[in-house]
């Protein structure tokens, strides 16, 4: 049902753009490579240079290895490894074979990886350390795919259809149960084309790419945007201000995409002025503080462009490339994306979206799908928004229980469940505390079973979390309290927990 007070916001000009061009990710990538086979498309700061022809050959041979190992289109591959050229080749080879890739943080504890493997049922896992899945009955190889047989003959390549699922990204979700987000080739292609057009991405651009390649920011925007454009990326295994400066000065990077924590560190480093050498610097995944935006501008002349997205949609809204990039806002809907503001109680509005970039539902989870989509097919983002007088979208809060630390999502419920399993913990609650560096940090409120032992318990809880929670999810501060405030239904009243 569409209420009369929806404020619908359509991007003008969005309809004259073919967001499906290429038909699938490999269709678009290979078409771009064919236009200039000698162009360098991937490089590293230690001197690796791969041109389009070489990347086409290496990814075709990777696809051949998957085929020779018995993997058929539609099979799943769990991919969990640090950034490297091999990882990118393994990823693209999988897409070219028509496989569905399940990316995972290589820093997640073994138990979490094993849960992901049993939930997603991959035909193969590609891991930095092959022993990580223990005795799980999943064949394992390393990112160079060296243990897979070489293909003996021609392999069916690049046959994925727009509706085929290219990626399944798992999010812990607010209910505590991981949800699979199935992103089709059409979803991912629409977003890659949208940012290519909106940000005037050109084949001679080079992206300094140090975002992790297991989330949509690094993968769906950074890597896919580069490849649909026929442009290049400098791959970096880790974010360091000095490495970003080297990518710009020594490797000719013209673009940088980062989360606000990266910009905070750049602003406090001796390398801030190097950002002046970029054609475009983009921030997203978490709010970019207005003061940080100003400091970056003052120290480098770079007017950072902030945009907004989420795993279920890839990219949604962006400040304009031409025209004012307004600090504290995320701008206007990207090509193909429709945004509306749905009034909620308390005078606030939730951002709802639809478009070719938006998933059609969660994987095998009709309840989660029904809870997240309106009956007329719009995705409820869980973010609150308002438009300023010029129509720029401002994200004013969140309905969902979520902490964003350094651009990574932390779901309080997942952390609380781990804390409550500790034998000395009677109850626990987790909230986000404001942090200049991280945006928010995780703070735990603990009710000790034996209050006299609180000091010892804090140390024990730190150890308890190692091996059970990925580092960014672990609480950084501990508060011992006599009780966790709950309402009559037993729900934690987080607003009463002041970090
Ligand atoms: C690392 N640590 C973190 C952390 N990242 N702790 C809290 N929050 C984080 N984000 C831990 C480390 O494991 C380490 O723990 C300690 O903090 C210090 O590590 P560091 O070396 O200082 O951190 P670093 O490795 O440099 O990582 C910081 C970072 C990283 C900002 C580079 O967090 C990062 O790459 N963030 C980007 C996340 C991202 O891509 N999000 C996109 C999601 S998609 P210990 O215990 O070892 O000391 C999305 C949609 C959209 O949101 O719109 O884009
Ligand atoms: P994820 O589920 O990891 O994809 O995270 C998506 C969430 O990140 C969104 O729903 C927002 O809450 C948040 N987000 C992304 N970009 C921004 C931004 N520019 N400003 C504020 N929040 C953002």
């Amino acid at each position: 049902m569409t209420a009369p007070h929806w404020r619908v916001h359509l991007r003008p000009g969005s309809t004259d753009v073919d967001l499906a061009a290429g038909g699938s990710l490999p269709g678009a990538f290979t078409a771009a490579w064919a236009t200039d086979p000698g162009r360098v498309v991937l490089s590293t700061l230690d001197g690796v240079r791969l041109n389009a022809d070489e990347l086409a050959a290496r990814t075709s041979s990777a696809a051949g290895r998957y085929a020779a190992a018995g993997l058929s289109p539609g099979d799943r591959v769990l991919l969990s490894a640090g950034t490297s050229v091999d990882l990118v080749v393994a990823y693209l080879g999988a897409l070219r074979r028509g496989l569905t890739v399940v990316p995972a943080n290589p820093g997640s504890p073994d138990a979490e990886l094993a849960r992901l493997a049993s939930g997603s049922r991959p035909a193969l896992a590609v891991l930095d350390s092959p022993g990580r899945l223990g005795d799980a009955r999943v064949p394992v190889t390393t990112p160079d795919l060296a243990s897979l047989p070489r293909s003996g003959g021609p392999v069916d390549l690049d046959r994925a259809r727009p509706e085929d699922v290219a990626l399944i990204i798992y999010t812990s979700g607010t209910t505590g149960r991981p949800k699979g987000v199935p992103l089709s080739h059409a979803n991912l292609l629409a977003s890659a084309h949208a940012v290519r057009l909106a940000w005037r991405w050109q084949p001679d651009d080079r992206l300094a790419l140090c975002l992790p390649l297991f989330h949509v920011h690094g993968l769906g925007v950074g890597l896919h945007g580069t490849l649909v454009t026929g442009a290049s990326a400098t791959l970096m295994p880790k974010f360091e201000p000095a490495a970003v400066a080297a990518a710009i000065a020594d490797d000719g990077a013209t673009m940088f995409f980062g989360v606000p924590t990266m910009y905070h560190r750049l602003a406090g480093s001796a390398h801030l002025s190097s950002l002046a050498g970029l054609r475009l610097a983009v921030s997203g995944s978490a709010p970019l503080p207005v003061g940080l935006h100003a400091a970056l501008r003052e120290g480098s002349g770079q007017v950072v462009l902030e945009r907004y997205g989420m795993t279920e949609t890839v990219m949604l809204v962006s400040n304009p490339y031409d025209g004012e990039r307004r600090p504290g806002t995320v701008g206007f809907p990207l090509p193909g994306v429709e945004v509306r503001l749905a009034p909620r109680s308390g005078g606030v509005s939730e951002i709802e979206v639809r478009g070719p970039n938006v998933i059609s539902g969660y994987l095998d989870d009709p309840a989660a799908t029904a809870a997240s989509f309106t009956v007329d097919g719009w995705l409820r983002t869980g973010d609150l928004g308002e438009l300023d007088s010029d129509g720029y979208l401002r994200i004013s809060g969140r309905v969902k229980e979520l902490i964003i630390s350094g651009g990574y999502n932390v779901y309080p419920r997942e952390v609380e469940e781990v804390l409550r399993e500790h034998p000395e913990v009677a109850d626990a609650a987790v909230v986000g505390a404001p942090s200049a560096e991280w945006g928010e940090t995780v703070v735990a409120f603990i009710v000790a079973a034996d209050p006299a032992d609180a000091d010892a318990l804090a140390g024990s809880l730190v150890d308890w979390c190692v091996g059970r929670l990925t580092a960014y999810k672990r609480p950084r501060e501990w508060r011992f309290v006599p009780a966790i405030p709950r309402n009559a239904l037993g729900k934690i009243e987080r607003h009463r927990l002041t970090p």
Side-chain angles (χ1 to χ4, degrees):
M1 192 180 70
T2 306
H5 47 291
W6 292 124
R7 297 175 70 178
V8 180
H9 197 112
L10 287 169
R11 173 80 176 164
S14 59
T15 45
D16 60 5
V17 160
D18 184 5
L19 298 173
S24 69
L25 293 171
F29 299 165
T30 53
W33 296 337
T35 60
D36 191 355
R39 181 188 294 277
V40 170
V41 283
L42 289 181
S43 60
T44 67
L45 291 178
D46 47 17
V48 175
R49 293 274 175 285
L50 220 64
N51 67 32
D53 227 8
E54 289 163 334
L55 187 57
R58 282 192 60 183
T59 53
S60 155
S61 133
R65 285 188 188 254
Y66 290 121
L71 275 78
S72 306
D75 283 343
R76 294 181 188 158
V77 176
L78 176 66
L79 204 55
S80 182
T83 293
S84 68
V85 170
D86 280 347
L87 173 76
V88 172
V89 169
Y91 171 62
L92 298 175
L95 294 183
R96 298 195 69 183
R97 177 61 184 151
L99 307 176
T100 296
V101 176
V102 182
N105 186 340
S108 55
D110 289 355
E112 192 175 323
L113 195 69
R115 272 198 302 280
L116 192 64
S118 74
S120 60
R121 300 183 311 280
L124 177 74
V126 179
L127 308 176
D128 279 330
S129 319
R132 290 201 58 204
L133 282 181
D135 60 0
R137 264 170 260 141
V138 181
V140 175
T141 189
T142 43
D144 59 10
L145 308 182
S147 67
L148 301 185
R150 278 178 201 281
S151 156
V155 174
D156 249 0
L157 276 183
D158 308 332
R159 295 286 178 89
R161 292 159 303 177
E163 65 275 20
D164 290 341
V165 176
L167 280 175
I168 301 174
I169 300 183
Y170 281 84
T171 74
S172 300
T174 43
T175 59
R177 221 177 104 217
K179 291 186 286 190
V181 178
L183 287 153
S184 68
H185 283 266
N187 296 149
L188 291 158
L189 206 47
S191 223
H193 282 309
V195 293
R196 172 175 70 76
L197 291 156
W199 300 342
R200 310 278 191 274
W201 214 324
Q202 299 299 327
D204 58 4
D205 273 314
R206 179 162 296 169
L207 176 68
L209 180 51
C210 51
L211 286 156
L213 296 182
F214 45 83
H215 280 301
V216 294
H217 196 167
L219 209 51
V221 192
L223 188 64
H224 296 173
T226 296
L227 298 177
V228 297
T229 307
S232 63
T234 308
L235 288 179
M236 288 173 276
K238 187 171 162 47
F239 167 78
E240 299 279 3
V244 175
I248 298 167
D250 308 334
D251 209 35
T254 58
M255 303 169 88
F256 171 72
F257 300 166
V259 298
T261 300
M262 294 177 178
Y263 284 106
H264 174 88
R265 292 188 184 176
L266 279 160
S269 78
H271 301 284
L272 174 57
S273 61
S274 70
L275 296 182
L278 295 168
R279 177 180 74 76
L280 178 65
V282 179
S283 175
S285 303
L288 183 70
V290 172
L292 178 54
H293 189 277
L296 292 160
R297 184 174 193 158
E298 204 167 296
S300 69
Q302 190 60 243
V303 184
V304 174
L305 181 156
E306 184 171 5
R307 62 40 173 198
Y308 161 55
M310 62 189 292
T311 303
E312 288 85 341
T313 66
V314 201
M315 292 300 105
L316 288 167
V317 177
S318 169
N319 263 283
Y321 181 77
D322 298 309
E324 186 195 351
R325 301 173 191 171
R326 190 169 290 183
T329 77
V330 289
F332 306 99
L334 281 161
V337 179
E338 288 176 271
V339 173
R340 69 185 187 185
L341 295 176
R344 296 282 178 261
S345 61
V348 296
S349 294
E350 182 174 357
I351 301 169
E352 296 185 348
V353 297
R354 82 178 168 187
N357 53 312
V358 181
I359 58 163
S360 48
Y362 291 98
L363 187 70
D364 304 329
D365 199 339
T369 301
S372 298
F373 285 83
T374 65
V375 284
D376 58 344
W378 293 67
L379 174 73
R380 300 189 169 104
T381 61
D383 295 309
L384 297 174
E386 57 197 30
L387 298 183
D388 75 7
S389 53
D390 296 317
Y392 283 75
L393 180 68
R394 189 183 300 280
I395 297 175
S396 48
R398 286 179 215 135
V399 198
K400 54 192 171 191
E401 280 182 353
L402 170 66
I403 300 166
I404 305 185
S405 171
Y408 282 126
N409 287 3
V410 183
Y411 293 93
R413 174 123 176 219
E414 183 187 356
V415 181
E416 287 160 1
E417 279 171 8
V418 168
L419 298 176
R420 285 194 208 111
E421 280 163 15
H422 189 288
E424 309 296 327
V425 169
D427 200 0
V430 156
V431 297
S435 156
E437 179 178 11
W438 298 102
E440 293 174 277
T441 53
V442 181
V443 177
F445 287 78
I446 302 288
V447 180
D450 178 356
D453 279 349
D455 276 352
L457 181 53
S460 162
L461 280 169
V462 169
D463 296 339
W464 180 259
C465 292
V466 175
R468 290 182 170 85
L469 290 170
T470 314
Y472 68 85
K473 299 177 185 170
R474 297 178 204 147
R476 289 183 177 239
E477 285 175 51
W478 304 90
R479 310 258 190 277
F480 290 89
V481 290
I484 301 293
R486 290 176 184 273
N487 68 15
L489 299 171
K491 194 170 163 10
I492 296 170
E493 295 182 309
R494 283 176 215 284
H495 61 278
R496 293 179 56 197
L497 294 166
T498 319

